[in-house]
Amino acid sequence: QVQLVQSGAEVKKPGASVKVSCKVSGYTFISYGINWVRQAPGQGLEWMGWISPYDGNTKYDQRLQGRVTMTTDTSTSTAYMELRKLRSDDTAVYYCARGSPNDYWGQGTLVTVSS
Amino acid sequence: EIVLTQSPGTLSLSPGERATLSCRASQSVPSRYLAWYQQKPGQAPRLLIYGSSSRATGIPDRFSGSGSGTDFTLTISRLEPEDFAVYYCQQYGSSPWTFGQGTKVEIK
């Protein structure tokens, strides 16, 4: 069965970086893009970007451009999302999701940014 | 960027009633790139509808989607207790992909 398993919760200080992983199983990794979506506490869903594990092509939301990098490791079927220069309003649950539309989702990773 | 506006913000209904949720886009969205998701507290979203009207695997037929252009609708024909949740529409045809702000369906 298709599974996306994300890394555990993180607590970071403002200005730091965080890297969240998403290990997939149950399908051919390079056949589907991976999206990253975040959700601030009590808020809606915000698309952050997309990466193709096949060729590494990426699309990022312009509001995050320059602070976010998405990568993949095809040898381990893992996608990564790194967010730099963290601010308090980056506190959110971060999800990876397969394909467009997003038919399978990871369980979410809570990233808390606090001094 | 395509802005999706969902209405109403909250829908208060009883089990067995019909729910009609609206998603309006700031510019035309090809029907094949409009999806609906359900999210329950503490859970990841779940894909319900893609291509504006196709049900995802395992989704009961009480959920249906329709619409075209800038106006899309999710209908739940008869609400079951497990259907009380937040629903989001999403367009994935034009980058950045965007979500609506959500409609909460609550028990009246």
Side-chain angles (χ1 to χ4, degrees):
Chain A
Q1 71 283 21
V2 174
Q3 285 191 304
L4 288 77
V5 179
Q6 298 183 222
S7 48
E10 304 262 14
V11 179
K12 297 290 183 181
K13 293 194 182 303
S17 299
V18 69
K19 191 170 187 177
V20 179
S21 68
C22 171
K23 184 172 176 60
V24 316
S25 60
Y27 73 96
T28 302
F29 184 49
I30 60 172
S31 295
Y32 294 84
I34 295 288
N35 291 265
W36 289 90
V37 176
R38 69 180 180 177
Q39 186 170 38
Q43 302 302 307
L45 303 171
E46 178 187 7
W47 181 80
M48 300 177 67
W50 165 93
I51 183 167
S52 166
Y54 175 74
D55 59 10
N57 191 24
T58 55
K59 293 182 192 289
Y60 298 140
D61 187 280
Q62 278 202 334
R63 287 166 290 196
L64 296 171
Q65 201 87 27
R67 291 206 299 137
V68 68
T69 302
M70 296 175 188
T71 57
T72 59
D73 182 344
T74 55
S75 69
T76 60
S77 298
T78 304
Y80 297 92
M81 185 284 300
E82 182 180 33
L83 189 60
R84 299 176 293 279
K85 299 180 181 177
L86 289 167
R87 309 186 297 239
S88 57
D89 61 356
D90 291 317
T91 294
V93 175
Y94 289 75
Y95 294 102
C96 59
R98 187 185 85 159
S100 296
N102 310 141
D103 57 357
Y104 288 91
W105 293 65
Q107 82 276 20
T109 297
L110 175 61
V111 175
T112 303
V113 183
S114 174
S115 54
Chain B
E1 171 176 326
I2 296 177
V3 176
L4 300 179
T5 302
Q6 293 186 239
S7 60
T10 302
L11 203 48
S12 298
L13 294 168
S14 300
E17 290 193 292
R18 182 184 187 91
T20 303
L21 287 66
S22 172
C23 175
R24 179 160 289 177
S26 60
Q27 54 188 281
S28 185
V29 174
S31 297
R32 63 188 179 277
Y33 297 132
L34 194 287
W36 290 91
Y37 299 85
Q38 176 194 67
Q39 188 179 34
K40 297 179 181 178
Q43 296 184 16
R46 176 173 73 144
L47 176 66
L48 297 176
I49 301 287
Y50 64 95
S52 79
S53 61
S54 297
R55 277 187 298 278
T57 303
I59 301 304
D61 61 6
R62 64 180 181 272
F63 291 92
S64 63
S66 64
S68 64
T70 59
D71 288 295
F72 298 89
T73 301
L74 174 70
T75 301
I76 311 170
S77 59
R78 292 178 317 278
L79 282 164
E80 297 287 340
E82 62 267 27
D83 299 336
F84 291 92
V86 179
Y87 294 83
Y88 296 94
C89 58
Q90 180 203 36
Q91 68 80 22
Y92 49 99
S94 173
S95 184
W97 309 165
T98 48
F99 290 93
Q101 83 280 16
T103 290
K104 181 178 182 180
V105 178
E106 65 175 22
I107 300 176
K108 185 174 181 180

